[in-house]
Short mmCIF file of all heavy atoms in Angstrom, two decimals:
data_model
loop_
_atom_site.label_atom_id
_atom_site.label_comp_id
_atom_site.label_asym_id
_atom_site.label_seq_id
_atom_site.Cartn_x
_atom_site.Cartn_y
_atom_site.Cartn_z
N VAL A 1 -13.32 -6.00 3.11
CA VAL A 1 -12.20 -5.48 2.35
C VAL A 1 -12.72 -4.68 1.14
O VAL A 1 -12.23 -3.57 0.86
CB VAL A 1 -11.20 -6.58 1.96
CG1 VAL A 1 -10.23 -6.06 0.85
CG2 VAL A 1 -10.44 -7.05 3.13
N GLY A 2 -13.68 -5.26 0.43
CA GLY A 2 -14.24 -4.55 -0.72
C GLY A 2 -14.89 -3.22 -0.34
O GLY A 2 -14.71 -2.21 -1.01
N ALA A 3 -15.60 -3.23 0.78
CA ALA A 3 -16.27 -2.00 1.25
C ALA A 3 -15.24 -0.97 1.65
O ALA A 3 -15.40 0.21 1.39
CB ALA A 3 -17.22 -2.33 2.41
N ASN A 4 -14.20 -1.42 2.37
CA ASN A 4 -13.16 -0.45 2.81
C ASN A 4 -12.40 0.13 1.62
O ASN A 4 -11.98 1.28 1.68
CB ASN A 4 -12.17 -1.16 3.72
CG ASN A 4 -12.71 -1.27 5.16
OD1 ASN A 4 -13.59 -0.53 5.53
ND2 ASN A 4 -12.16 -2.17 5.92
N ILE A 5 -12.25 -0.61 0.56
CA ILE A 5 -11.60 -0.07 -0.67
C ILE A 5 -12.47 1.05 -1.24
O ILE A 5 -11.99 2.09 -1.71
CB ILE A 5 -11.32 -1.17 -1.70
CG1 ILE A 5 -10.21 -2.06 -1.21
CG2 ILE A 5 -10.97 -0.59 -3.07
CD1 ILE A 5 -9.96 -3.25 -2.09
N LEU A 6 -13.78 0.86 -1.23
CA LEU A 6 -14.66 1.92 -1.70
C LEU A 6 -14.53 3.18 -0.83
O LEU A 6 -14.68 4.30 -1.29
CB LEU A 6 -16.12 1.44 -1.67
CG LEU A 6 -16.49 0.37 -2.69
CD1 LEU A 6 -17.93 -0.09 -2.52
CD2 LEU A 6 -16.30 0.88 -4.14
N ALA A 7 -14.29 2.96 0.48
CA ALA A 7 -14.19 4.10 1.40
C ALA A 7 -12.82 4.75 1.36
O ALA A 7 -12.72 6.03 1.35
CB ALA A 7 -14.44 3.61 2.83
N GLY A 8 -11.74 3.98 1.29
CA GLY A 8 -10.42 4.56 1.41
C GLY A 8 -9.54 4.49 0.18
O GLY A 8 -8.46 5.08 0.13
N GLY A 9 -10.01 3.78 -0.84
CA GLY A 9 -9.20 3.59 -2.03
C GLY A 9 -8.77 4.88 -2.71
O GLY A 9 -7.66 5.01 -3.22
N ALA A 10 -9.63 5.86 -2.71
CA ALA A 10 -9.35 7.13 -3.38
C ALA A 10 -8.38 7.99 -2.60
O ALA A 10 -7.86 9.01 -3.12
CB ALA A 10 -10.65 7.90 -3.61
N PHE A 11 -8.11 7.64 -1.34
CA PHE A 11 -7.24 8.44 -0.48
C PHE A 11 -5.82 7.89 -0.38
O PHE A 11 -4.83 8.60 -0.52
CB PHE A 11 -7.89 8.61 0.88
CG PHE A 11 -9.20 9.30 0.87
CD1 PHE A 11 -10.39 8.60 0.74
CD2 PHE A 11 -9.27 10.69 0.93
CE1 PHE A 11 -11.63 9.24 0.71
CE2 PHE A 11 -10.45 11.37 0.89
CZ PHE A 11 -11.64 10.62 0.79
N ASP A 12 -5.74 6.57 -0.03
CA ASP A 12 -4.40 6.03 0.14
C ASP A 12 -4.26 4.63 -0.49
O ASP A 12 -3.26 3.97 -0.30
CB ASP A 12 -4.04 5.98 1.63
CG ASP A 12 -4.70 4.80 2.35
OD1 ASP A 12 -5.79 4.42 1.95
OD2 ASP A 12 -4.14 4.35 3.33
N GLY A 13 -5.24 4.23 -1.25
CA GLY A 13 -5.21 2.91 -1.90
C GLY A 13 -5.84 1.82 -1.07
O GLY A 13 -6.12 0.72 -1.62
N ALA A 14 -6.09 2.06 0.20
CA ALA A 14 -6.78 1.12 1.07
C ALA A 14 -6.07 -0.26 1.10
O ALA A 14 -6.63 -1.23 0.57
CB ALA A 14 -8.28 0.96 0.68
N SER A 15 -4.91 -0.32 1.67
CA SER A 15 -4.13 -1.55 1.70
C SER A 15 -4.68 -2.54 2.72
O SER A 15 -5.09 -3.65 2.39
CB SER A 15 -2.68 -1.25 2.00
OG SER A 15 -1.96 -2.45 2.24
N MET A 16 -4.68 -2.15 3.99
CA MET A 16 -5.09 -3.02 5.13
C MET A 16 -4.24 -4.29 5.24
O MET A 16 -4.60 -5.18 5.98
CB MET A 16 -6.57 -3.47 4.95
CG MET A 16 -7.58 -2.35 4.96
SD MET A 16 -9.22 -2.90 4.35
CE MET A 16 -8.98 -2.73 2.58
N ASN A 17 -3.19 -4.38 4.44
CA ASN A 17 -2.43 -5.60 4.34
C ASN A 17 -0.98 -5.26 3.95
O ASN A 17 -0.73 -4.92 2.80
CB ASN A 17 -3.08 -6.49 3.27
CG ASN A 17 -2.45 -7.87 3.17
OD1 ASN A 17 -1.27 -8.06 3.47
ND2 ASN A 17 -3.24 -8.84 2.72
N PRO A 18 -0.03 -5.37 4.89
CA PRO A 18 1.36 -5.03 4.56
C PRO A 18 1.94 -5.83 3.43
O PRO A 18 2.74 -5.31 2.66
CB PRO A 18 2.09 -5.32 5.89
CG PRO A 18 1.06 -5.13 6.93
CD PRO A 18 -0.20 -5.65 6.34
N ALA A 19 1.52 -7.07 3.26
CA ALA A 19 2.03 -7.88 2.12
C ALA A 19 1.57 -7.32 0.80
O ALA A 19 2.36 -7.32 -0.17
CB ALA A 19 1.56 -9.33 2.31
N VAL A 20 0.32 -6.85 0.72
CA VAL A 20 -0.20 -6.34 -0.53
C VAL A 20 0.56 -5.10 -0.97
O VAL A 20 0.75 -4.90 -2.19
CB VAL A 20 -1.72 -6.01 -0.36
CG1 VAL A 20 -2.22 -5.16 -1.49
CG2 VAL A 20 -2.53 -7.30 -0.27
N SER A 21 1.00 -4.28 -0.03
CA SER A 21 1.75 -3.10 -0.41
C SER A 21 3.24 -3.39 -0.57
O SER A 21 3.97 -2.65 -1.27
CB SER A 21 1.56 -1.98 0.66
OG SER A 21 1.85 -2.48 1.94
N PHE A 22 3.71 -4.46 0.08
CA PHE A 22 5.16 -4.80 0.04
C PHE A 22 5.58 -5.30 -1.33
O PHE A 22 6.62 -4.87 -1.88
CB PHE A 22 5.46 -5.83 1.09
CG PHE A 22 6.92 -6.26 1.15
CD1 PHE A 22 7.86 -5.41 1.74
CD2 PHE A 22 7.33 -7.45 0.66
CE1 PHE A 22 9.18 -5.77 1.83
CE2 PHE A 22 8.66 -7.84 0.73
CZ PHE A 22 9.60 -7.00 1.28
N GLY A 23 4.84 -6.21 -1.95
CA GLY A 23 5.18 -6.82 -3.22
C GLY A 23 5.36 -5.78 -4.35
O GLY A 23 6.45 -5.74 -4.97
N PRO A 24 4.40 -4.92 -4.57
CA PRO A 24 4.58 -3.91 -5.60
C PRO A 24 5.71 -2.96 -5.32
O PRO A 24 6.39 -2.50 -6.25
CB PRO A 24 3.24 -3.15 -5.60
CG PRO A 24 2.28 -4.14 -5.05
CD PRO A 24 3.02 -4.94 -4.08
N ALA A 25 5.96 -2.65 -4.05
CA ALA A 25 7.05 -1.73 -3.67
C ALA A 25 8.40 -2.38 -4.04
O ALA A 25 9.28 -1.70 -4.52
CB ALA A 25 6.99 -1.41 -2.19
N VAL A 26 8.53 -3.66 -3.78
CA VAL A 26 9.80 -4.35 -4.07
C VAL A 26 10.04 -4.41 -5.59
O VAL A 26 11.10 -4.07 -6.08
CB VAL A 26 9.76 -5.82 -3.53
CG1 VAL A 26 10.96 -6.62 -4.07
CG2 VAL A 26 9.79 -5.78 -2.02
N VAL A 27 9.02 -4.80 -6.33
CA VAL A 27 9.17 -5.02 -7.76
C VAL A 27 9.37 -3.65 -8.50
O VAL A 27 10.16 -3.56 -9.44
CB VAL A 27 7.98 -5.78 -8.34
CG1 VAL A 27 8.08 -5.90 -9.88
CG2 VAL A 27 7.94 -7.18 -7.75
N SER A 28 8.67 -2.61 -8.06
CA SER A 28 8.84 -1.31 -8.69
C SER A 28 9.94 -0.49 -7.99
O SER A 28 10.31 0.57 -8.47
CB SER A 28 7.52 -0.55 -8.63
OG SER A 28 7.19 -0.22 -7.27
N TRP A 29 10.41 -1.00 -6.87
CA TRP A 29 11.41 -0.32 -6.04
C TRP A 29 10.98 1.09 -5.71
O TRP A 29 11.73 2.06 -5.90
CB TRP A 29 12.80 -0.39 -6.66
CG TRP A 29 13.89 -0.38 -5.63
CD1 TRP A 29 14.75 0.68 -5.35
CD2 TRP A 29 14.17 -1.39 -4.68
NE1 TRP A 29 15.59 0.35 -4.31
CE2 TRP A 29 15.25 -0.94 -3.87
CE3 TRP A 29 13.64 -2.65 -4.38
CZ2 TRP A 29 15.81 -1.69 -2.84
CZ3 TRP A 29 14.18 -3.40 -3.38
CH2 TRP A 29 15.24 -2.91 -2.62
N THR A 30 9.73 1.21 -5.21
CA THR A 30 9.19 2.49 -4.80
C THR A 30 8.80 2.37 -3.34
O THR A 30 7.90 1.63 -3.01
CB THR A 30 7.94 2.83 -5.64
OG1 THR A 30 8.31 2.82 -7.02
CG2 THR A 30 7.40 4.21 -5.28
N TRP A 31 9.47 3.15 -2.47
CA TRP A 31 9.27 2.98 -1.02
C TRP A 31 8.67 4.23 -0.36
O TRP A 31 8.66 4.28 0.86
CB TRP A 31 10.61 2.62 -0.40
CG TRP A 31 11.14 1.35 -0.91
CD1 TRP A 31 12.10 1.18 -1.85
CD2 TRP A 31 10.76 0.02 -0.51
NE1 TRP A 31 12.33 -0.14 -2.10
CE2 TRP A 31 11.52 -0.89 -1.29
CE3 TRP A 31 9.85 -0.48 0.41
CZ2 TRP A 31 11.41 -2.28 -1.16
CZ3 TRP A 31 9.73 -1.85 0.57
CH2 TRP A 31 10.49 -2.73 -0.26
N ASP A 32 8.18 5.17 -1.13
CA ASP A 32 7.60 6.36 -0.54
C ASP A 32 6.46 6.00 0.38
O ASP A 32 5.47 5.36 -0.02
CB ASP A 32 7.08 7.31 -1.63
CG ASP A 32 8.19 7.85 -2.52
OD1 ASP A 32 9.35 7.76 -2.10
OD2 ASP A 32 7.89 8.33 -3.61
N ASN A 33 6.56 6.41 1.64
CA ASN A 33 5.51 6.26 2.65
C ASN A 33 5.12 4.76 2.88
O ASN A 33 4.03 4.48 3.35
CB ASN A 33 4.24 7.04 2.26
CG ASN A 33 4.48 8.51 2.16
OD1 ASN A 33 5.12 9.13 3.02
ND2 ASN A 33 4.03 9.14 1.06
N GLN A 34 6.03 3.86 2.55
CA GLN A 34 5.73 2.45 2.74
C GLN A 34 5.41 2.11 4.20
O GLN A 34 4.59 1.26 4.52
CB GLN A 34 6.93 1.59 2.27
CG GLN A 34 6.81 0.11 2.51
CD GLN A 34 5.76 -0.58 1.66
OE1 GLN A 34 5.35 -1.71 1.96
NE2 GLN A 34 5.31 0.07 0.62
N TRP A 35 6.03 2.85 5.11
CA TRP A 35 5.80 2.61 6.52
C TRP A 35 4.34 2.77 6.93
O TRP A 35 3.87 2.12 7.87
CB TRP A 35 6.68 3.52 7.38
CG TRP A 35 6.38 4.98 7.29
CD1 TRP A 35 6.86 5.88 6.38
CD2 TRP A 35 5.48 5.70 8.13
NE1 TRP A 35 6.32 7.12 6.59
CE2 TRP A 35 5.45 7.04 7.65
CE3 TRP A 35 4.65 5.38 9.17
CZ2 TRP A 35 4.68 8.06 8.22
CZ3 TRP A 35 3.85 6.37 9.76
CH2 TRP A 35 3.91 7.69 9.29
N VAL A 36 3.65 3.65 6.23
CA VAL A 36 2.21 3.90 6.51
C VAL A 36 1.44 2.60 6.42
O VAL A 36 0.55 2.32 7.22
CB VAL A 36 1.65 4.93 5.53
CG1 VAL A 36 0.11 4.98 5.63
CG2 VAL A 36 2.23 6.35 5.82
#
């Protein structure tokens, strides 16, 4: 996961985990491209 963040973090944040992207989206209520 750490290595993949180095590879993809600068492009899309390197989530690899729907839960990790879901929590911030709910609390900030920002859903742009959440499906990705």
Side-chain angles (χ1 to χ4, degrees):
V1 165
N4 280 339
I5 288 174
L6 291 176
F11 297 92
D12 77 331
S15 171
M16 298 165 276
N17 186 332
V20 166
S21 54
F22 181 76
V26 170
V27 175
S28 66
W29 208 250
T30 303
W31 298 98
D32 295 344
N33 300 313
Q34 175 69 196
W35 66 270
V36 168

